[in-house]
C-alpha cells in the first residue's frame, strides 16, 4: 500500500533531528527507537512533537534494562550488549 511508502518518505526528512545525540537509533516506517539522556527526555519530546501537528511522538523508559520495540523485547546485559 502507498501509505507505508509515503510515511517512510515523509518521516525520513526528520531523521537527523530525531536521532541527534542518540547512540542507538532505528526506525521502521513510523516506529522509532533511540536513546537520549534521561534529563533531556521532555525537551527532546517537545522538539519531536513540534515537527507537525499530526505527529505525536511518545516515549518509554527502559525497565530492568529492557524495552519493547515492534513486538520485540530488547535487553542490555551486564557487558552492555543488546539482545
Amino acid at each position: 500500500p502507498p501509505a507505508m511508502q509515503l510515511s517512510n518518505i515523509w518521516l525520513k526528512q526528520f531523521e537527523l533531528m530525531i536521532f541527534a545525540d542518540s547512540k542507538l537509533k532505528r526506525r521502521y516506517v513510523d516506529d522509532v527507537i533511540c536513546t537520549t539522556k534521561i534529563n533531556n527526555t521532555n525537551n527532546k519530546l517537545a522538539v519531536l512533537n513540534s515537527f507537525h501537528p499530526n505527529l505525536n511522538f511518545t516515549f518509554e523508559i527502559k525497565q530492568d534494562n529492557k524495552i519493547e520495540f515492534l513486538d520485540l523485547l530488547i535487553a542490555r546485559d551486564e557487558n552492555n550488549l543488546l539482545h
Side-chain angles (χ1 to χ4, degrees):
M4 181 185 274
Q5 286 90 358
L6 290 174
S7 173
N8 204 18
I9 291 167
W10 195 79
L11 202 54
K12 179 79 173 159
Q13 66 184 315
F14 300 113
E15 278 189 358
L16 289 177
M17 291 179 278
I18 293 170
F19 296 140
D21 304 326
S22 295
K23 292 181 182 178
L24 170 67
K25 42 192 163 209
R26 293 288 182 261
R27 182 173 69 83
Y28 180 77
V29 187
D30 62 349
D31 291 304
V32 175
I33 185 169
C34 64
T35 56
T36 190
K37 303 265 187 222
I38 193 71
N39 60 350
N40 190 38
T41 305
N42 290 329
N43 183 49
K44 184 162 190 164
L45 191 61
V47 169
L48 296 177
N49 283 323
S50 72
F51 292 160
H52 192 277
N54 290 335
L55 281 179
N56 183 30
F57 286 87
T58 60
F59 72 90
E60 294 182 32
I61 298 174
K62 66 182 178 182
Q63 300 292 326
D64 299 321
N65 284 326
K66 299 175 187 172
I67 194 162
E68 290 186 26
F69 179 64
L70 296 174
D71 297 327
L72 298 171
L73 182 63
I74 300 171
R76 182 183 304 266
D77 68 15
E78 62 277 353
N79 295 318
N80 239 5
L81 298 175
L82 299 177
H83 300 277

